[in-house]
Amino acid sequence: MAFDIAMIKEVYSKIAERVDAAKELTGKPLTLAEKILYAHLWEGVPSKAFERGKDYVDFAPDRVACQDATAQMALLQFMQAGKSKVAVPTTVHCDHLIQAKVGADKDLQSALNTSNEVFNFLESVSNKYGIGFWKPGAGIIHQVVLENYAFPGGMMIGTDSHTVNAGGLGMVAIGVGGADAVDVMAGMPWELKFPKLIGVKLTGKLSGWTAPKDVILKVAEILTVKGGTGAIVEYFGPGASAMSCTGKGTICNMGAEIGATTSTFGYDETMERYLRATDRSDVADAANEVKEYLTADPEVYANPEQYFDQVIEINLSELGPLLNGPFTPDLSTTAGSEMTKKATENEWPLKVEWGLIGSCTNSSYEDLSRASSIAQQALDKGLETKAEFGINPGSEQVRYTAERDGILNIFEKLDAKIFTNACGPCIGQWARYEDPKNAPKNSIVHSFNRNFAKRADGNPNTHAFVASPELVAAIAIAGRLDFNPLTDSLINKDGEEVMLDEPTGWELPPKGFEVKDNGYLAPEEDGSGVQINVDPNSERLELLTPFQPIGNEIKGAKLLIKAHGKCTTDHISMAGPWLRYRGHLDNISNNCLIGAVNAFNMQTNFVKSQLTGEYDAVPKTQRAYKAEGIPSIVVGDHNYGEGSSREHAAMEPRHLGVVAVLVKSFARIHETNLKKQGMLGLTFANESDYDLIQEDDTFNFLDLNEFAPGKPLTIEVVHADGSKDVILANHTYNAGQIEWFNEGSALNLIKKQNA
C-alpha cells in the first residue's frame, strides 16, 4: 500500500472540479502541466486564467522531499518557523554524504563514522516534526521518491534540482531551495511564476542501442543549458507512451540540465504497471478513476503548436546513441566517427579510464539489467575490460532485487566496484585521487546528469561524458571514447574479432521487487518530547542567526568578483568534500565563489581587495570587507547559478556581506534563492554594461528607496579614476518578494507572521 494514500485520494477528489473550472476560464483545452498547476492553486478552485511567463501564482504542493546535504539548512530554517509539525507529508533522504571509495559496506560504515553527528541531527529533527526519514544506504532520493511517493497528477517540491525525476510518474515535481521548502512545510503558499510550456513530441520507437537517455541528451543539444528556463517540458506522442516509467524518469531528471522548471509525461499504462509493481495498486486504481485529468486533452496533442509556446519533434527511430560533454551537459556528439573527429580536434583523451553507472538519473532495475546484458557479453565473448567499472544502485529495493536476480554478480565478475545506494561520484563524493588538483588529464564516461569541471572527482583535467548505462558499459569494455558498438568490433583475449550485440533488459523485474529492509524510519506521532541538540563547538552544524535587512540605502559597495563565463552553483558553492559543512553556514562560506573565474585575470579564487590592493582568496577578501562593514556585489554572465538547487550558493554570499548579484541572466532556482535570503538579484538592462565593470569599481544604488515591481533600479558605478557610469538594472521582484527584502529574508517574514 502507498504512503499517504488518503492525501492522494483527496487530490483526485478535487481534480475534476478544478480542472473543469480552469478550462472554462481559459476557454481552451489544457495541457497536462496546466491541469496539474490549476489543480494545485492555493486558492483552491481557480478564479482567473494566468498568463504564462508573467503572473506569479501561489500553489499548494502535496509533498516535500529533502536530501541530506540540503536538508540540514532547510531544517535549520524550519526550526525557526515556529511550527510543531510539518503541514504536508515530508521526507528526508540520506544519500549525498556517502563517499565512494572501496565498496558499499565499507563506504557506508565510513560515512556513518564520519557523518554520524549530521545523520543523528537529521533523524531527530525528522522525528520531532513528523518527517519520514530514510537512513543512509536506503537509496538516492529521487529513485526512492519514484518508488514510494510519486503519483500521477500530483505536485511536489524538493530541495534538489533533480526532484524533477518524479515527472516520470506524471507529476509536476520542482526543485527548490530550502527556504521554499520551509514555506510549504510551514503551511504557507508556495510562489512560482506561471511557467511557459514546451511540448516534445516523440514519434517512432526506441530500439537497439538507443535509450531514453539519448532523448534528453538530444533535447539538451537542441535547447542548450538555458533553453528550458521558466518552462515546463511536456513529452507526448507514441514514442512517449511506449517508454518505460523509469525511462520517463531519466528524461525528466535531466530536464534540470536545460534549466526547465520541470518535465512531465501523461499518465499511461507503463506508469500503471510501475505503480502496481512497486506495491501501489491502490494509487493505480485511484488514478484510473480520473485518468482523463492526468494527461492533456486530446486536442492538445493533436495540434500541439496551438497550445505550447514551443514544440520539438524527435523521431526515436532515427535517434542514435549520444555522448554529451565534456564540461557541459548540452554538448552532444554521436557515438563513433563524429567523436573521433571532435576528440582529435579538441584534444580530448580518447582512452577511457572509468565507466560509472548509477546516480538518480539512471539507477533503476531496467538500467542495471540493460547494462549488465553488455557486461555479460564481455564475459561470454572473452573480452577483457579496458576501463574500471563503478555501479551505484538507486535504492536498497533495486539493489536487493538486482542482487537476487544475479545482475550485480555479472558486474562483479568484471571486477566492478559496487558502491553504496547513494549519489557517490555524481555529487563529487568519490575518493578517486589523493590530490585531485594535480591529477592527470583523462576521460571518463558515466550515466549521470552533470559533467561540470571537477564535478565527479575534483580533478579539473577529467573530461566527463554523459551517456546511457548500456553505452557506458560498452565504452568501458572497449576503453575508447569513440567506440561505436553498432559498427565497431573488439579483439578478445583469444585474438578473435567480436561484436557486441544489442542490449537487452527488463522494464520491471520478472520475479517482482523484493527487499528485506528498505531503510525507512517513520516519525513519532507526537514528537514534542524529542530533544534536538547542536554542539556549539561543532564544525558540522550551526544554529542559524537571522539575517538583518540590507536596507534601502546601499552606498560604497565594492566589487567582490566579476565572474567570467559559466558560473554554476558548483562554482559558487562546491560540493564534494565541502558537503561536510552543509549544516554550518560560516564554515561552508569558506568555499564561497572559489570556483568562479575572475574576469580580470582569468584565475579562480584570486581577486583584488580594494582595502589593501593585494590579491587573495574570494572568501578571505570578502570577510575583510564584512569586518569593515563594507557591502559588496558580485557581477556575472549568462545563466548565472545554473545547476543545483543548493541555497548555500545564495546564503554564503549573504552571510559574508554581499548585498547584490548583478548578471546578464539567472537560472531560475538561484534567482529565487537570492530573493528568499533577502538579497538583490538583478540583471543588466543593457547586457553590454557588463563590459563597463572594472576591477576597482564602487557601486551606489541611487533609487533603492523606490524599489517597486517592474521599476528598474539605477546604479552609479564609480571607477578608480573618478569617472562614472550610470546603469539600469532590471529585476523580477513582486510586492511580496520586496517584502522579503525589506524584512531581511522570507524566513524572517514567516516567523513574524507565525508570531
Side-chain angles (χ1 to χ4, degrees), residues 614-634:
E614 301 295 321
Y615 286 83
D616 212 327
V618 180
K620 184 177 178 181
T621 303
Q622 178 56 35
R623 286 186 187 275
Y625 288 144
K626 182 180 181 181
E628 296 293 329
I630 299 172
S632 62
I633 83 164
V634 171

Side-chain angles (χ1 to χ4, degrees), residues 702-719:
L702 303 182
D703 53 3
L704 189 54
N705 61 324
E706 300 171 8
F707 193 16
K711 182 182 183 297
L713 293 174
T714 309
I715 305 173
E716 180 184 64
V717 185
V718 183
H719 307 302

